[in-house]
Each structure stands twice: as structure tokens, then as C-alpha cells.
């Protein structure tokens, strides 16, 4: 590791500490005592303020641990940052959509003229295929905060029969032009996959009962997934079909290679069979259903209805 990179990593390592010892740096970064002492002197010049104390309880006491210290990036890392910013602007709506352009302008102005020209050329000649969100998400900020902080929310979502439900959100994910969440309904004691744009009311609540931790939520969902998606299926894929599945797949699907061919394996619940049928039809002639019989019959029924339109 280059010295500049090591210093950056040491700044990050020390950013949330109030006290550290020389031995910590030596062990964390596999460096000698002499190198650690030189690094400490360099870190002080970079803006890390501290004072040292001797004795059993001594060490280096950091006095500005809450300050954001400057992190230096090399040219490849700078290119990667702008590449990622340009790409994510075109992917979908997020709570930070309006900030990406401002971030890019600020970062660009902080760079030397040579690097600014290089970044501009990268944006001119690298094109991105946009995958915009199909629907606007009104409560993105609140839902993201609730997910991160494991807050209990009172929500009205058009996918529910009842108007308002108490929910805990396990995660948020983007799929085929829409944002979704895995949500546990405390009133119905059931898991749901809900579209974020279908939320019409979201309000943070103080828990009136003991709610699950993030780890408990994750374990609960895994248990639910095993019980809920209980009917196995298998499909034969062409090479092109495999590429389509990789571009647009779901966590409960798995692509398997063996001597006989390429297979798509998974499981489904009867209530959601029509979603799987529509998904397989979207693969066109690149998929052939092997099992289950029920899936094959529903698939053929849907094809017949499509053919009858002509």
C-alpha cells in the first residue's frame, strides 16, 4: 500500500476514536514502530489534532474527532466517483436525485484544470442507458429513514384492503422501474412486498408494543420466505435467456449450469403464480418450463389468451 493511501486509511480508522495507541496503528496496518511514528507526524500535518500522554493510561488523545478530515483521492478514484455519479443520475428516482448534479459541480470545481478536462471528456464519450422510475415515490425520505432507523410507521398503501397498517420495513429495493420494500405488517402478522409509489400516507409512530430488531426482522423474513414460497419449479434457459434473467431476476430465483443445460430454479406461492407466469412470458422463446405442471398449464393458458387477440 502506498503511503498516501495508508494515511487516508489511518484517517478513516481514527475518525471515530478519542484515544489511540501506537501499537494499534502498527497492528492495524502491519507497519513498524518507526513508520507508525512518522505516520502520526504526517497525520498531524494533514489536520489531525491530538496531544500525547505517557504512562499506563496514556496514548494519543484526539481533540477534533468530530471534524471531517480531508481525504485525498488518486486520479483513478476521482474518475470512478464521477463515473458513478453520472451513472446513478440516469438509473432511477432516489431521495437524493436533486443533489447529484450539485455534488458533481462542486467536486469538479475543486479539481485541477487538467482533471476537469478529463472528466468532461469521460462524460462526453461514455453514454448511459437510462432506466427511469415508472412512478413517483411521494414518501421516499420517510420510508428510507424508517427502514434505516427501524422505525414503526403507520401507513396507507393501496395494495392493502384495510386503510392504514402498522409496518416495519426490512429493506428497500429497485426492480424493473419501480421501488419496493419488504414490509412486516404488525396488525396482520404477515410479510408483504409493497411498491413505494403506492404509499398514500406515511407517519412515524412511537411503538405501542415491542417491535423486532433488524436481525429479528431478517430472520423472520427468511423463515417466511421458506414457508411461503413452497412450490418448486424448474425451467430450461437458452444462453440469451440466461442473460435476460441475470438482468432482471428476483432473490428467490437461481440459475444453475449442468451437463444437460442452463436451468432456472425457484419456488412460488399460489397467490403469486400469475406474477411468475408473466415473468416467464417476458422471456419469450428463451425459456421452456420443465415443472411444475400447474405453472406450465397457467403459462399455456396465458399464451392462448394472447394468441386469441390476433
Amino acid at each position: 500500500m502506498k503511503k498516501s493511501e495508508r494515511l487516508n486509511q489511518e484517517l478513516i480508522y481514527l475518525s471515530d476514536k478519542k484515544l489511540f495507541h501506537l501499537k494499534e496503528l502498527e497492528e492495524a496496518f502491519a507497519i513498524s514502530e518507526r513508520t507508525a511514528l512518522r505516520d502520526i507526524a504526517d497525520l498531524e500535518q494533514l489536520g489531525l489534532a491530538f496531544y500525547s500522554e505517557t504512562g499506563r493510561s496514556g496514548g494519543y488523545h484526539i481533540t477534533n474527532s468530530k471534524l471531517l478530515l480531508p481525504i485525498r483521492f488518486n486520479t483513478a478514484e476521482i474518475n470512478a466517483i464521477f463515473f458513478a455519479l453520472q451513472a446513478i443520475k440516469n438509473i432511477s428516482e432516489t431521495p437524493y436525485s436533486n443533489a447529484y448534479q450539485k455534488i458533481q459541480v462542486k467536486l469538479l470545481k475543486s479539481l485541477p484544470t487538467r482533471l476537469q478536462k478529463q472528466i468532461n471528456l469521460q462524460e462526453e464519450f461514455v453514454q448511459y442507458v437510462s432506466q427511469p422510475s415508472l412512478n413517483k415515490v411521494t414518501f421516499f425520505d420517510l420510508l428510507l429513514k424508517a427502514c434505516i432507523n427501524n422505525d414503526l410507521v403507520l401507513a396507507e398503501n393501496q395494495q392493502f384492503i384495510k386503510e392504514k397498517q402498522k409496518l416495519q420495513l426490512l429493506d428497500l429495493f429497485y426492480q424493473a422501474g419501480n421501488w419496493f420494500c419488504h414490509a412486516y405488517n404488525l396488525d396482520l402478522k404477515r410479510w408483504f412486498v409493497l411498491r413505494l409509489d403506492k404509499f398514500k400516507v406515511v407517519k412515524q409512530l412511537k411503538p405501542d408494543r415491542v417491535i423486532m430488531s433488524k436481525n429479528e426482522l431478517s430472520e423472520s423474513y427468511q423463515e417466511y420466505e421458506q414457508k411461503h414460497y413452497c412450490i418448486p419449479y424448474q425451467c430450461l434457459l437458452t444462453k440469451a435467456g440466461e442473460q435476460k434473467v441475470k438482468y432482471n431476476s428476483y432473490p428467490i430465483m437461481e440459475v444453475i449450469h449442468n451437463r444437460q443445460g442452463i436451468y432456472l430454479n425457484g419456488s412460488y406461492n399460489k397467490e403469486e403464480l400469475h406474477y411468475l407466469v408473466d415473468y416467464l412470458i417476458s422471456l419469450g422463446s428463451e425459456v421452456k418450463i420443465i415443472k411444475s405442471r400447474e405453472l406450465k398449464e397457467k403459462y399455456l393458458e396465458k399464451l392462448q389468451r394472447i394468441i386469441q387477440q390476433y
Side-chain angles (χ1 to χ4, degrees), residues 84-145:
L85 279 173
Q86 188 69 11
I88 201 169
K89 281 193 302 182
N90 292 280
I91 291 175
S92 68
E93 174 189 334
T94 76
Y96 315 109
S97 297
N98 295 330
Y100 296 138
Q101 186 62 38
K102 294 178 182 178
I103 293 171
Q104 186 165 331
V105 170
K106 288 181 180 179
L107 289 177
L108 195 62
K109 286 183 178 179
S110 69
L111 297 177
T113 303
R114 178 184 62 82
L115 276 179
Q116 289 186 31
K117 290 180 179 178
Q118 183 176 328
I119 296 299
N120 288 330
L121 284 173
Q122 176 175 282
E123 293 186 5
E124 181 180 353
F125 295 114
V126 178
Q127 304 298 319
Y128 302 86
V129 177
S130 177
Q131 188 187 9
S133 294
L134 298 176
N135 298 284
K136 181 176 178 57
V137 180
T138 305
F139 297 99
F140 214 139
D141 287 344
L142 284 173
L143 292 168
L144 178 61
K145 182 181 178 182

Side-chain angles (χ1 to χ4, degrees), residues 1 6 9-10 13-14 17 21-31:
M1 182 186 296
R6 187 176 69 248
Q9 291 299 317
E10 288 171 351
Y13 175 76
L14 297 172
K17 292 182 179 295
H21 298 84
L22 194 65
K23 202 70 176 176
E24 286 183 64
L25 286 186
E26 294 175 30
E27 293 176 355
F29 296 93
I31 55 179

Side-chain angles (χ1 to χ4, degrees), residues 102 135 181 190 289:
K102 294 178 182 178
N135 298 284
C181 68
R190 281 188 56 191
I289 298 173

Side-chain angles (χ1 to χ4, degrees), residues 144-157:
L144 178 61
K145 182 181 178 182
C147 180
I148 293 172
N149 296 334
N150 197 30
D151 293 330
L152 180 66
V153 296
L154 181 67
E156 181 181 336
N157 186 291

Side-chain angles (χ1 to χ4, degrees), residues 26-64:
E26 294 175 30
E27 293 176 355
F29 296 93
I31 55 179
S32 66
E33 180 180 348
R34 181 178 296 180
T35 300
L37 286 169
R38 285 200 299 264
D39 283 359
I40 289 173
D42 291 333
L43 290 173
E44 187 174 20
Q45 290 185 358
L46 289 173
L48 185 69
F50 58 85
Y51 63 91
S52 61
E53 285 187 351
T54 59
R56 177 176 294 182
S57 59
Y60 296 90
H61 296 261
I62 299 175
T63 60
N64 65 342

Side-chain angles (χ1 to χ4, degrees), residues 226-256:
Q226 292 173 359
K227 292 180 179 178
H228 185 73
Y229 299 103
C230 56
I231 305 173
Y233 68 87
Q234 185 178 62
C235 303
L236 182 65
L237 295 173
T238 64
K239 194 68 180 174
E242 180 187 16
Q243 293 302 314
K244 288 184 177 181
V245 169
K246 286 183 176 179
Y247 178 74
N248 181 25
S249 63
Y250 295 85
I252 55 174
M253 296 177 173
E254 183 180 18
V255 175
I256 302 293

